[in-house]
Amino acid sequence: MIATLRARGFAALAVGAVVVAGTVLAPTAAVAAEKVVLSKGHTDALDVRYEDGALSLKVNDDTVSPSVTRDPADVTFQVLPDAAMAVPDDPRFAFLGTAGSQVWLLPLTQDPDLLWPGWNTTALDSGVFQGDKVRLSLLDVRGPGDVTLFTQDSFGGPIVKFRGDDGLPDAIDVPVHTHAHSNRAFGALGSYTLKFQADATLTNGTTVSTGPVDYSFVVGELPGSAPEVGLSVSGMAGGYQPNDTVTLNAVQTPQTELDHYHWFSKCPGAADWSIIAGEAGVSYSFTATRELDACQYVAKLYDDDHTVAATSEPVTLRVTSPPEGPGTSQSITASIDETQGALVISVDPEDRAVVLPAAQLTAGGDRWESDGELRPVTVTDTRAGQPGWSASGQLPADFTAADGASFSAGHLGWSPRILAQGSGQGVLAGPTVTPHVAGAGGGLGDSALLGSAPDGAGRGTAQLGAGLRLSLPTETAAGTYTATLTLTAI
């Protein structure tokens, strides 16, 4: 996806391979009562519990170790400014707003620099509720913008779960032993209250409910805190001819609500910077002349008190003169527009099928196992802002055979590795994900990090790979099974 400034995007690619979805059974967490702000890391925001005949909604906080259980009233979930992204120019995502407009997105797959909230029913036992399921409902949204929770299919298309702008309540049925995540999109900066409720029917016909539970979200900086913002100037080409139009753009990192700028210039021989009268916007356009050659330009960003919040580094204008009179030479100027760029994840269309060797019994005779290799995955980042990226994979559906037999994606795991990366990149391999022995969840049935690049060290092309391990119970029926791995880069 194309991204600007520190904007985040999402891209999905379906790749023929092998794996399925599932859940992770979390250990019992300690209970904490202090007020906290959660802004990075994994948390189960909607953690459904049933104890002593009562259904409740808690927060399972995995941002600390060991994890703790919190009351939603004690938690503020912060969507950091770095979650800003442009709405894709794709009609499938029109529900997020006009293409190119800004939303703040907590993504479906984990970004280590953002909060990763999900919903969780792994603490619920089978056989307690009718249908072994509970219903989660979004009853109300109060805030400055629209709120949408959606997942994506294997082709990257959106599957909306909760949407606050088309009539509430919205509800989904969630099986017990489920651990899941979604994209959470917010339409504006500010404070939100989302009112959720969980309901279920016991096997004896008795209905139980949590009642409405408020969840507090803050998109952007917390009230009373000043954003730390960097500023740069994009758009300056390597050289201009007289009468060419020069357009400079001020780029905030991360993007904030501040929108008051002034532009300054300093030409050779001048002792001080001079303010450019009438230029208070994010862009500044003017005509190149020979007299402006070697002049420098900076942009300054101001807060509501007209205090300088950030100042860019200078950029220098170069104006070249064409050769005078007849001759045999030409002046050629080449440039790369740093306002353009994209984050792309891909695989070779001729090398996208993984065929694992036939599974063999382990030495203990208690499992079928097979090892193989993921086909190379290429991630190319040409964005000027260098916001970093992460690439993840997940099997959204079970392995299936032609006769309809199946087994869980959770039985497949991987050990990521970096196959190659460009000069100046700092790409890191994701953690090893082991196959889930019980097969009810975990493994690559959940989204797993394949590789990532930190801020300032992601631009370029990297190639990622992974060793694959399949581990199945001995009662698995003989056959050839296939699943599709979805790869995502944000």
Side-chain angles (χ1 to χ4, degrees):
M1 303 299 299
I2 296 176
T4 59
L5 319 181
R6 283 277 305 181
R8 304 268 172 174
F10 50 87
L13 175 70
V15 182
V18 278
V19 234
V20 193
T23 62
V24 176
L25 296 178
T28 301
V31 177
E34 74 273 17
K35 299 281 187 179
V36 296
V37 175
L38 303 182
S39 59
K40 291 184 180 182
H42 176 263
T43 180
D44 295 316
L46 298 171
D47 189 24
V48 187
R49 302 295 180 96
Y50 181 68
E51 297 171 341
D52 299 325
L55 197 66
S56 63
L57 280 173
K58 299 295 184 182
V59 176
N60 181 43
D61 180 7
D62 269 340
T63 68
V64 294
S65 182
S67 61
V68 296
T69 298
R70 303 185 187 276
D71 191 301
D74 296 329
V75 178
T76 297
F77 300 94
Q78 185 181 12
V79 184
L80 292 172
D82 282 4
M85 62 162 282
V87 174
D89 188 9
D90 183 334
R92 297 178 301 172
F93 295 93
F95 62 90
L96 292 176
T98 305
S101 63
Q102 196 167 60
V103 294
W104 285 260
L105 183 88
L106 296 180
L108 173 67
T109 53
Q110 186 168 18
D111 181 334
D113 293 328
L114 297 174
L115 189 64
W116 196 36
W119 56 79
N120 182 33
T121 62
T122 61
L124 302 180
D125 294 328
S126 301
V128 176
F129 307 105
Q130 289 185 8
D132 275 337
K133 65 184 179 182
V134 297
R135 172 159 290 195
L136 287 178
S137 300
L138 176 61
L139 304 179
D140 184 49
V141 172
R142 284 172 286 158
D146 297 332
V147 178
T148 306
L149 280 69
F150 65 99
T151 59
Q152 290 172 259
D153 60 28
S154 57
F155 298 100
I159 304 172
V160 175
K161 299 295 186 180
F162 301 105
R163 183 174 175 182
D165 65 343
D166 65 349
L168 292 174
D170 284 345
I172 60 172
D173 288 329
V174 182
V176 300
H177 304 313
T178 294
H179 173 258
H181 289 266
S182 70
N183 296 294
R184 294 176 183 239
F186 295 81
L189 294 166
S191 298
Y192 294 76
T193 300
L194 278 59
K195 194 180 297 291
F196 284 97
Q197 180 170 303
D199 300 278
T201 302
L202 302 178
T203 53
N204 64 8
T206 302
T207 59
V208 289
S209 176
T210 62
V213 179
D214 286 346
Y215 283 77
S216 297
F217 284 80
V218 172
V219 180
E221 298 295 339
L222 296 173
S225 64
E228 294 183 4
V229 57
L231 196 66
S232 60
V233 172
S234 67
M236 182 69 81
Y240 295 86
Q241 294 292 322
N243 299 316
D244 284 349
T245 297
V246 182
T247 299
L248 305 180
N249 300 293
V251 179
Q252 296 183 36
T253 307
Q255 184 68 31
T256 72
E257 293 180 288
L258 302 178
D259 59 1
H260 184 190
Y261 300 87
H262 282 300
W263 291 85
F264 297 79
S265 66
K266 185 170 72 171
C267 293
D272 298 310
W273 292 92
S274 299
I275 190 169
I276 300 172
E279 297 296 336
V282 68
S283 296
Y284 168 45
S285 293
F286 60 96
T287 301
T289 65
R290 292 189 181 91
E291 291 74 22
L292 295 179
D293 181 47
C295 289
Q296 293 182 301
Y297 299 85
V298 299
K300 294 186 179 183
L301 177 67
Y302 295 80
D303 62 20
D304 294 337
D305 298 324
H306 208 265
T307 300
V308 176
T311 301
S312 72
E313 291 294 323
V315 294
T316 302
L317 176 69
R318 295 297 181 187
V319 183
T320 59
S321 299
E324 297 182 359
T328 58
S329 63
Q330 296 184 20
S331 173
I332 299 176
T333 300
S335 64
I336 297 175
D337 185 354
E338 62 182 49
T339 66
Q340 303 298 314
L343 175 64
V344 179
I345 186 169
S346 63
V347 296
D348 184 344
E350 303 300 323
D351 188 20
R352 60 190 304 167
V354 178
V355 180
L356 296 176
Q360 303 292 322
L361 281 175
T362 60
D366 59 343
R367 306 285 296 172
W368 292 106
E369 291 193 345
S370 178
D371 294 331
E373 287 289 329
L374 185 70
R375 308 318 303 149
V377 176
T378 300
V379 179
T380 298
D381 186 4
T382 56
R383 298 171 295 175
Q386 298 198 58
W389 50 261
S390 64
S392 303
Q394 182 177 7
L395 292 176
D398 288 349
F399 282 90
T400 58
D403 61 1
S406 65
F407 60 79
S408 167
H411 288 303
L412 187 69
W414 69 11
S415 299
R417 59 179 68 98
I418 307 303
L419 304 181
Q421 59 180 302
S423 174
Q425 284 190 300
V427 182
L428 302 173
T432 295
V433 175
T434 58
H436 188 57
V437 173
L444 293 185
D446 294 330
S447 177
L449 183 66
L450 180 61
S452 63
D455 293 355
R459 190 169 185 178
T461 298
Q463 197 169 65
L464 312 177
L468 300 174
R469 166 153 290 192
L470 183 68
S471 181
L472 299 169
T474 55
E475 61 268 24
T476 305
T480 299
Y481 297 78
T482 304
T484 299
L485 177 69
T486 299
L487 295 168
T488 304
I490 58 174

